[in-house]
Each structure stands twice: as structure tokens, then as C-alpha cells.
Amino acid sequence: MDSFLFQATIILGAAVIAVPIAARLGLGSVLGYLLAGLAIGPGLGLISNTSDLQHFAEFGVVMMLFIIGLELEPRALWNMRHRLIGLGGLQITLTMAAVMAAGIAFGLAWQTALAVGMVLALSSTAIVLQTLNEKGLMQTQGGRSTFSTLLTQDIAVIPMLVVLPLLALGPPVLLGGDGSIERIDPEDAEHAMSLVEGLPGWGAALVTFGAVALIIVAGVYGARPLFRFIHAARLPEMFTAVALLIVVGIGFLMMLVGLSPALGTFLAGVVLANSEFRHELESDIEPFKGLLLGLFFITVGAGIDTGAFLAEPFVILSLALGLIALKGVILFGLGWAFGLRHRDQWLFTLGLAQAGEFGFVLISFGLQQNVMTQALGGRLLLVIAMTMLITPLLFIAYDRLARITPDRRDDLKPDEIDEQGPVIIAGIGRFGQVVNRMVQSSGFKTVVLDHDIETIQLMRRFGFKGFFGDPTRPELLHAAGIRNARVLVAALDDPKATLKLVAYARRLRPDLHIVARARDRTHVYRLYQAGANDIVREMFDSSLRAGRYVLENMGMSDYEAAVARDTFFHHDRRTVRELASLWDPGVPPAENTAYIERAKELEKELETALYTALESRSKKDGAA
């Protein structure tokens, strides 16, 4: 049962089942694909020969590097150069050196040890970025440092793919017509398609440089006219065809000059990053990239030698834990050297301690180049997969450490507050700064508090005075004049901190008017119970404006759209007040029957209210 349709059915079915389950368990899609491959390969034996599929699937890696290039604007890279070269570059270099030294100590040739160092120096971009976003840690100093290092690693894959063939001790290599890399016998080399075959060294270098220059020049000067020409045809499928043509054509050109297709497509992506068609290209390539990359990881999983793991499970587990410990020590030291402290330092250390999915790519490439043996490659695959499986546990460890580790801001002494005013604004982010500007511009004095020193310093550069400190701390509130203030604006980014601040202020001052920023409707109910007077949902007013614009463009007059907006606004306020009395913090809204039934009734009342308001307006216009 080796037919193409049978294999496609098994692979797609396994992916559809395994990947969502892995994502729900917090393991990430990459591990889901690997587990799917393990199940249908070594587990059930449904797929036996994956070599042909893997050649095809490797093109997903080429597409992924093209998209990475599209997302890397040269100006943004230049602005991040210190962290990319410093923090990220040192992490890769030190980890490669440490792993290489360990490999040589275990008897590996220096070429093989260096290749192993490249493989294990990388971390899992897919798992780490997904986890940082889910936990809301991306904007912390530790999160930004982690992202910079991952970005450096992604970029470093390109020179690694270039260097790996130079470490091979076997016969020469050739890139196949499908973008995969094949090893050929020297006597067959004269039959290979190549632009550099038979040329002297300087001639081959000149042709290679010319091919790279052609990609850059074509991207800068030829891309826009080509895309405008395609756009004029108004055929969406042509954009997809052009996107695939760019990736396949550049890969083929790189093959002709003996370079990796991934190098050329990455370079093309960077060149096209500033194009107005960048997002169109990315959306056209993304589905192909996702499927082919998933297929690549499935073939990797299907090719893992489970017998080797069962033969020496403790060895594999020890190597995985040893790698995590080695990378952890290096990351901890680098984090300290670059100013990370406390929980930020732990996030940086534990978040990047595993090996990553690009390691699978490099191992596959290294095996084709005869840089390492099949046995060593199989063992490395197991080690990488094991460290990725351990990654969720590392983030659990970070959560535990974060609870007992002080925030880096705790090392900074709060400002001495020497002013008081009738309005206290706690939190000067995107929400609080608008409130502060409006109130101050109207002639009223405000006292601004925020626990982010960078935000306070940025405010001061623009001429706005603010005080650094945690607004939930009673002593800071008293220093700011909470006893005599008329209004408190609770505009903190953290919903829990906002709730804590509102509850304390209400206990202290029953007569104080509190305006609170809410994240969502559930947060509104909590703030209502805590004693806030006016509760403003972050996105509510802007959503009403957007809804009004939609109605105006659907044929309503400006006045009719305004009536609909105002009617919706007042009905929603009444709805929130009514539902707040039915909301139970111990019962999820989806399980609160009384809450659901009343919400349905109020939604019907809204339709009636909108119809009545618009009908009343139509009658007035007719009478006039």
C-alpha cells in the first residue's frame, strides 16, 4: 500500500488528529507533526519509505525562509543590530563552541562536532513565540530579549546551510531539480546541470556573485512592475502563481550556481520586505509553506529510530537534560551581562534552553552532505525532540520562579512624589495617556503614576510629568493625594492590578469618583463589584465608531447611523448593569443559565429598540 493517495490520506489524517491535540496540550504544532509521524511510521508502520516525500517536503523549509525574509525589514534589523549581533550572536557562538568542545571530547571529528554545535545552538521559534504570546510575556524585557535571540537564530540558519557542505568529507553534492539536495558520484558530475561546472575558482565566484546580484536587482527594480502587471489582470490565482514562481525560480537559480535554494529565497524575501505587495506574497505562500513544512516534520517523525531510544532511553534523556543545562548556564550568564535580572533573566534562560525545529532541517541537510553518520543523526533527532517535549515543563518552572522572584522593577526606587492634584491617573499607556492629555489640555492638573520606568522616561521627553512607582501601593497613592483627590483614573494594563487598585481606593474613599479601564465584559463586572463608578471597555467606543462607518456605507444617512450608534450605546450600558446582577464569579458565563437567558432577551430588545428609534426618525422626517 505505497500508492500516493494512500500515503496522502494517512499523512493528512494523522496531522488533522495529532496537531490540534498537541496544540491544546500546549505542546505546539511542531511536536504535533512529529508525534503524527511517529504514530504512522515507527508506531503503526503505515508509512515505511519517506525519502521521496522528504525531498518534496524540504521545499517547505525553502518557503519558510522566504517568509522569514519578507518579515525582516532591513531598517528594523539595523535598529535591532546591538541585540541581534551582541546577545543573539554570542548565544549562538558560545553554545556552538561549548557543544563542539563536548563533541570533540567524545571523539567526534572537529567537522562533525562543529555541525552538531550548529544544530543544538538553535532553539524552538515555533514553541517559544507561541508560549510567550499566550502568557502575555512578549513585551517584557525578557520576552523582547528572547525574541531578538530567536530572530538571530533564524537568520543564522542561512550561513549554517552554506557552511555545512564545506564540512563534508565525502563526494561532491548536487541540488536536485525539486530543490532537494542529492549526493552524486564524481563520475556522474559531468551530467549535472550547473553554471559553474568546469570554471576556475575565480570564474565560479564571479558567476555566483552575479546570481546573487541578479536576485537583488530584480527584487528592487523588477518586482513592482511585475506585480502591477499581474494586478491589472485581476486574477487572484495569478498572484499565487507569481509567488510560487519567485520561490521555485530563485531556488533553481541557486541550484545552478551550487548554493542552497534557502539562501536565495531568504535573500529575495529581505529585498521584497519593503514592497507594497509584501503581505500579498506572504498570504499566497503561507498555506503552501505550512503544509509542506508540516509534511517535513511528519517525515522527520516517521524516520525517527524508536528502537534506538528504547535501547538507551536513559542515555537520550541524559543528553537532553545535559543540553538544557549547558544552554541554560550560557543563557543565564548572557542575560546577566546584558542587564536582565530576576524573572526576566529566568524567562530568557528557561525559554531558550531547548533545541529547535531548525535542528531537524540542519540534521537532514547534514546527513545528505555526509557531515554526520546516520546513527549520530538519529540520536540528535531524539535529543531535539526530547528537549522540545520538556519545554512546557520549563515554562511551568518559570511560572513558579516568577511567583517567588521579585520583578526587576523592584530594584528601582520609586520617585518621591512632590505634587498633588484633583485627578490621579494610574497607568499612562495607550489608554491613560489620551485621558491625561485631554484633562490637562482642559486646564485641570493631574498626577500621573506608572510602574514602567521606560514609559515615564518617554513621557518626560515629550514634556509630560509623571512619577515612577507601583500605583497599587498605598504609600504612593497617599503621596499623590488620594485623600483629597476628586477623581481616580485606573488605567493599568494589568486587569488584576486595576481591580486591586479600585478595591483599595473604594475602601479608603467611599466618596471618590473612580473611572476604571476594563479589558472585557467580565472585567467590567468585577470592577463594578469592586466599586468603580464609570467603567470603560478598552475597545467599546472605537468599535461603535467603526460600526457607525459601516452603517453609513451601507446606505444610512449620517444622522441615522448616529441614532443607531447612540441607541446601541445606551442599551448596552443598561444591558451590562442588568447582567452584572446575574453574573456569578464562581460560574463561567457559558454555564450560567439565568445569565444566558437574560442576555438573549436583551439582544432581542436591542433589535426592537434600534428599529423603533430609526422608525421614529423616519416619521419625523416625513412630518417635516
Side-chain angles (χ1 to χ4, degrees):
M1 299 177 69
D2 291 329
S3 71
F4 171 78
L5 290 178
F6 172 76
Q7 289 190 344
T9 302
I10 293 299
I11 289 172
L12 291 174
V16 167
I17 295 172
V19 175
I21 293 176
R24 283 200 168 195
L25 295 176
L27 300 177
S29 60
V30 174
L31 282 175
Y33 285 120
L34 289 174
L35 293 174
L38 279 169
I40 63 178
L44 301 176
L46 298 175
I47 300 293
S48 57
N49 183 13
T50 62
S51 58
D52 294 336
L53 282 174
Q54 194 159 2
H55 289 319
F56 181 66
E58 282 166 1
F59 214 75
V61 178
V62 175
M63 291 184 173
M64 177 172 65
L65 289 169
F66 177 67
I67 289 181
I68 289 175
L70 279 177
E71 295 172 348
L72 300 180
E73 296 186 32
R75 183 177 300 176
L77 290 178
W78 178 255
N79 293 336
M80 298 174 63
R81 63 190 182 280
H82 298 298
R83 284 197 176 275
L84 292 177
I85 298 174
L87 186 59
L90 282 174
Q91 182 272 325
I92 294 173
T93 303
L94 293 177
T95 305
M96 282 175 51
V99 173
M100 180 180 176
I104 293 174
F106 279 99
L108 296 179
W110 73 266
Q111 296 97 328
T112 304
L114 177 58
V116 173
M118 292 179 183
V119 168
L120 300 182
L122 306 177
S123 304
S124 177
T125 301
I127 294 177
V128 176
L129 288 187
Q130 178 183 353
T131 306
L132 291 179
N133 285 318
E134 288 175 354
K135 294 180 176 291
L137 297 171
M138 185 61 78
Q139 297 306 317
T140 64
Q141 187 176 2
R144 290 193 295 268
S145 298
T146 300
F147 174 76
S148 299
T149 304
L150 288 171
L151 184 57
T152 307
Q153 292 178 0
D154 290 347
I155 297 172
V157 171
I158 300 301
M160 288 180 181
L161 290 172
V162 174
V163 170
L164 272 178
L166 303 178
L167 303 178
L169 301 178
V173 296
L174 176 72
L175 295 173
D178 60 353
S180 61
I181 299 172
E182 303 173 347
R183 179 164 298 281
I184 60 172
D185 295 328
E187 58 270 18
D188 296 331
E190 63 271 11
H191 303 297
M193 185 179 294
S194 174
L195 294 178
V196 296
E197 182 183 349
L199 294 178
W202 64 268
L206 190 61
V207 171
T208 302
F209 178 78
V212 173
L214 177 62
I215 292 173
I216 297 175
V217 172
V220 173
Y221 296 104
R224 283 181 173 86
L226 173 62
F227 286 123
R228 288 176 185 143
F229 172 75
I230 296 299
H231 179 72
R234 301 194 178 279
L235 295 172
E237 64 271 17
M238 285 298 99
F239 268 107
T240 304
V242 169
L244 291 174
L245 175 63
I246 290 173
V247 174
V248 175
I250 291 175
F252 178 66
L253 177 61
M254 291 293 99
M255 179 198 74
L256 292 179
V257 297
L259 294 180
S260 166
L263 173 62
T265 52
F266 174 81
L267 182 61
V270 173
V271 172
L272 294 172
N274 290 321
S275 167
E276 63 266 33
F277 299 98
R278 161 192 169 190
H279 297 293
E280 185 77 25
L281 276 171
E282 189 172 349
S283 62
D284 288 335
I285 290 292
E286 184 69 35
F288 296 97
K289 184 269 294 184
L291 284 174
L292 291 176
L293 200 59
L295 178 60
F296 172 79
F297 289 128
I298 287 177
T299 58
V300 169
I304 289 178
D305 186 2
T306 53
F309 175 77
L310 296 175
E312 45 182 16
F314 296 107
V315 173
I316 300 299
L317 184 59
S318 298
L319 288 173
L321 294 176
L323 175 63
I324 290 173
L326 176 63
K327 295 184 73 171
V329 170
I330 294 172
L331 290 163
F332 193 86
L334 284 175
W336 181 272
F338 279 81
L340 297 179
R341 298 292 183 270
H342 304 314
R343 63 184 66 176
D344 287 322
Q345 188 177 14
W346 283 116
L347 176 61
F348 180 71
T349 300
L350 297 175
L352 295 172
Q354 78 292 120
E357 58 274 359
F358 269 123
F360 298 129
V361 177
L362 295 179
I363 290 173
S364 175
F365 191 57
L367 289 173
Q368 294 167 353
Q369 297 298 306
N370 201 29
V371 176
M372 59 186 71
T373 64
Q374 289 288 340
L376 177 59
R379 180 172 288 184
L380 288 175
L381 289 175
L382 290 171
V383 170
I384 293 174
M386 186 63 63
T387 62
M388 293 173 72
L389 284 170
I390 294 173
T391 298
L393 300 179
L394 297 178
F395 277 102
I396 292 174
Y398 164 76
D399 291 336
R400 299 287 176 86
L401 289 170
R403 295 193 189 104
I404 62 175
T405 304
D407 195 307
R408 66 182 179 88
R409 292 177 296 220
D410 295 341
D411 291 342
L412 301 174
K413 185 179 179 181
D415 290 336
E416 183 176 343
I417 301 175
D418 55 4
E419 291 184 3
Q420 295 188 355
V423 180
I424 299 175
I425 299 179
I428 197 65
R430 59 182 180 177
F431 187 97
Q433 65 174 280
V434 175
V435 177
N436 182 56
R437 288 169 55 199
M438 181 175 177
V439 174
Q440 283 194 354
S441 299
S442 300
F444 296 98
K445 185 177 181 180
T446 63
V447 179
V448 175
L449 308 174
D450 200 287
H451 57 11
D452 191 329
I453 187 62
E454 295 175 359
T455 301
I456 292 295
Q457 290 172 345
L458 180 62
M459 273 187 60
R460 291 169 181 169
R461 293 194 197 103
F462 285 90
F464 293 97
K465 188 171 183 179
F467 299 97
F468 169 72
D470 184 355
T472 63
R473 293 174 59 177
E475 62 270 24
L476 263 69
L477 290 172
H478 285 281
I482 189 70
R483 289 283 186 184
N484 302 313
R486 293 178 59 186
V487 180
L488 168 67
V489 180
L492 300 171
D493 290 333
D494 184 359
K496 293 182 180 178
T498 302
L499 191 64
K500 178 181 176 182
L501 172 61
V502 170
Y504 174 77
R506 179 54 69 219
R507 288 196 305 269
L508 182 68
R509 288 277 311 278
D511 61 322
L512 179 66
H513 193 94
I514 302 176
V515 180
R517 166 191 179 183
R519 176 66 59 84
D520 50 31
R521 184 169 284 191
T522 300
H523 195 208
V524 169
Y525 300 148
R526 296 184 186 277
L527 290 169
Y528 178 78
Q529 291 187 350
N533 299 100
D534 295 316
I535 305 170
V536 183
R537 277 172 281 169
E538 291 177 349
M539 307 300 294
F540 183 68
D541 290 323
S542 57
S543 299
L544 283 181
R545 289 179 59 194
R548 176 182 173 178
Y549 297 150
V550 172
L551 294 178
E552 290 173 358
N553 283 277
M554 290 302 294
M556 282 190 179
S557 66
D558 292 354
Y559 184 80
E560 288 174 332
V563 169
R565 179 202 60 192
D566 294 341
T567 303
F568 186 96
F569 173 79
H570 292 296
H571 184 275
D572 187 82
R573 287 175 64 88
R574 183 170 69 85
T575 297
V576 170
R577 283 194 295 268
E578 285 200 32
L579 293 179
S581 62
L582 298 174
W583 177 75
D584 185 347
V587 180
E591 300 176 9
N592 188 331
T593 305
Y595 180 95
I596 293 174
E597 292 302 320
R598 185 53 183 154
K600 290 180 179 179
E601 293 172 0
L602 289 169
E603 188 65 23
K604 293 180 180 179
E605 291 178 13
L606 171 62
E607 295 177 6
T608 303
L610 285 171
Y611 177 80
T612 302
L614 293 173
E615 187 69 20
S616 174
R617 175 60 193 171
S618 297
K619 290 180 179 179
K620 288 181 181 180
D621 290 342

